[in-house]
Amino acid sequence: MSDGEWQSFLADEVTPQFPSGLSVHDVAGQFREPSGRIVRERSKLVTIVVFDAPNHASKVQQIVATYNSRFGQDGVFRVERPVCAGI
């Protein structure tokens, strides 16, 4: 995925679902293929803080499905956890 493709995906798919804000970090990712080979690749870590996660789950699922389809991925690593955040 090129930087332009990522920026388009972020602008078209992620930001409209979470217009109040999010953070994106460049990270080094790796995963094991079914063959056992370790694949290393540039990755993005997107952090979104919401106050009612169950009400946002369908938005996240749609973003993940679109990402997998658009970029030919088998999966997206996703973590949900409660946090203490102040405004």
Side-chain angles (χ1 to χ4, degrees), residues 35-52:
S35 69
R37 182 174 78 105
I38 299 294
V39 176
R40 292 174 178 83
E41 62 185 2
R42 293 182 325 148
S43 299
K44 301 290 185 183
L45 172 65
V46 179
T47 304
I48 303 167
V49 177
V50 296
F51 292 104
D52 191 1

Side-chain angles (χ1 to χ4, degrees), residues 2-76:
S2 70
D3 289 336
E5 289 171 319
W6 167 253
Q7 291 301 323
S8 292
F9 178 78
L10 187 64
D12 297 342
E13 304 296 333
V14 183
T15 301
Q17 297 291 347
F18 296 97
S20 294
L22 53 95
S23 298
V24 178
H25 307 274
D26 290 318
V27 297
Q30 72 178 40
F31 64 95
R32 183 184 307 271
E33 291 183 330
S35 69
R37 182 174 78 105
I38 299 294
V39 176
R40 292 174 178 83
E41 62 185 2
R42 293 182 325 148
S43 299
K44 301 290 185 183
L45 172 65
V46 179
T47 304
I48 303 167
V49 177
V50 296
F51 292 104
D52 191 1
N55 284 334
H56 297 283
S58 64
K59 294 178 185 181
V60 174
Q61 291 167 351
Q62 181 59 45
I63 291 167
V64 168
T66 302
Y67 183 88
N68 285 338
S69 174
R70 186 178 297 183
F71 298 110
Q73 296 293 311
D74 294 324
V76 170

